[in-house]
Amino acid sequence: MSGPQCCSNPPTLDSASGAGHVENLAGLNTYVSGSLQSKLAVFLISDIFGYEAPNFRKLADKVAAAGFYVVAPDFFYGEPYDPNNPDRPLSVWIKDHGPDKGYEDAKLVIDALKSKGVSSIGAAGFCWGAKVVAELAKDPLIQAAVMLHPSFVTVDDFKSVKVPIAILGAEHDHISPPELLKQFDEILKASEVDSYVKIFPKVAHGWSVRYDVNDLAAVSSANEAQQDMLEWFAKYVK
């Protein structure tokens, strides 16, 4: 499920942003930050605006600074969603860039990470990326999962999750409202999977990466969500 909130507060993309670099991984241009020496990887799967969003890359660098090898692929093959392109509204764009295709690409990225000697992988999905993470958590191809303001996920997805999972949602989210997140929480609590569901007050869909850097309250809420994500991975990606 997607909607207008998926497209709100679009970032200004910058291919030169971040302290890491871009390399080819499993056939995808991928923003990479951190060292492989830890053998612990975090796989960041972006929202519809893609891997060139400066706040997204800033987060990748923050995760790398915590000791992880971080990869953030371009699942959209150079065509992130552009709200200013009238010829490619979201309903048309998504037909070429569905999470199902993202999942197939993600499996190749997982294989590539393992070929580099990575021994444990955590995956975080933002909006669109949450559905990809849901599929990775079912197989399971990862050791831990985090979803932030998820889109496209359903109650049924959580009945099959097999790895520890954290879901970070917003109070004002028409795509995954608090009532739906509470349903996810109930299903997960009934399973044997470690889980954590948190609803952040006074924020809207996309807040963890699509925030105004000059808005102190927005930055604080984003940092809190990012710290929760980091702590989840520190606990389960070992």
Side-chain angles (χ1 to χ4, degrees):
M1 182 171 60
S2 62
Q5 280 190 319
C6 265
C7 313
S8 63
N9 301 321
T12 300
L13 305 184
D14 181 1
S15 62
S17 60
H21 65 278
V22 174
E23 65 179 63
N24 186 293
L25 186 68
L28 300 173
N29 286 333
T30 301
Y31 181 75
V32 176
S33 191
S35 171
L36 262 173
Q37 290 182 344
S38 73
K39 306 298 183 186
L40 306 177
V42 167
F43 185 1
L44 298 182
I45 305 175
S46 75
D47 60 18
I48 59 176
F49 296 108
Y51 82 139
E52 291 184 353
N55 283 350
F56 185 66
R57 290 194 174 183
K58 183 179 178 181
L59 174 56
D61 294 339
K62 179 189 288 189
V63 177
F68 296 100
Y69 180 69
V70 183
V71 296
D74 175 15
F75 285 104
F76 308 132
Y77 295 85
E79 195 208 11
Y81 175 67
D82 180 0
N84 297 314
N85 183 353
D87 297 327
R88 299 282 282 169
L90 185 60
S91 59
V92 172
W93 178 89
I94 199 69
K95 292 178 182 178
D96 294 325
H97 302 293
D100 51 343
K101 176 64 167 67
Y103 171 56
E104 295 304 318
D105 285 339
K107 288 192 288 186
L108 299 177
V109 173
I110 296 288
D111 288 342
L113 287 172
K114 290 179 178 177
S115 74
K116 289 177 175 285
V118 168
S119 59
S120 188
I121 302 170
F126 304 77
C127 184
W128 178 96
K131 180 64 173 180
V132 180
V133 167
E135 297 303 321
L136 293 173
K138 292 176 189 177
D139 272 357
L141 296 172
I142 54 178
Q143 280 62 57
V146 179
M147 296 179 179
L148 301 97
H149 35 89
S151 295
F152 300 100
V153 295
T154 67
V155 166
D156 286 341
D157 283 320
F158 297 96
K159 295 176 181 177
S160 303
V161 166
K162 296 183 178 66
V163 300
I165 182 168
I167 305 170
L168 308 179
E171 178 183 4
H172 306 296
D173 192 331
H174 303 309
I175 299 164
S176 291
E179 297 77 20
L180 183 59
L181 265 60
K182 289 173 183 175
Q183 291 182 48
F184 297 163
D185 191 26
E186 290 171 4
I187 291 168
L188 290 167
K189 283 180 176 176
S191 74
E192 296 181 356
V193 172
D194 287 347
S195 62
Y196 175 69
V197 177
K198 181 175 178 178
I199 298 168
F200 286 69
K202 301 179 182 178
V203 296
H205 183 85
W207 93 96
S208 73
V209 285
R210 299 206 305 264
Y211 56 87
D212 180 352
V213 296
N214 297 310
D215 183 333
L216 295 181
V219 171
S220 177
S221 290
N223 283 338
E224 183 180 346
Q226 293 170 8
Q227 186 60 36
D228 287 345
M229 180 190 77
L230 271 173
E231 290 176 2
W232 194 256
F233 288 143
K235 184 176 181 179
Y236 292 105
V237 181
K238 299 179 178 178

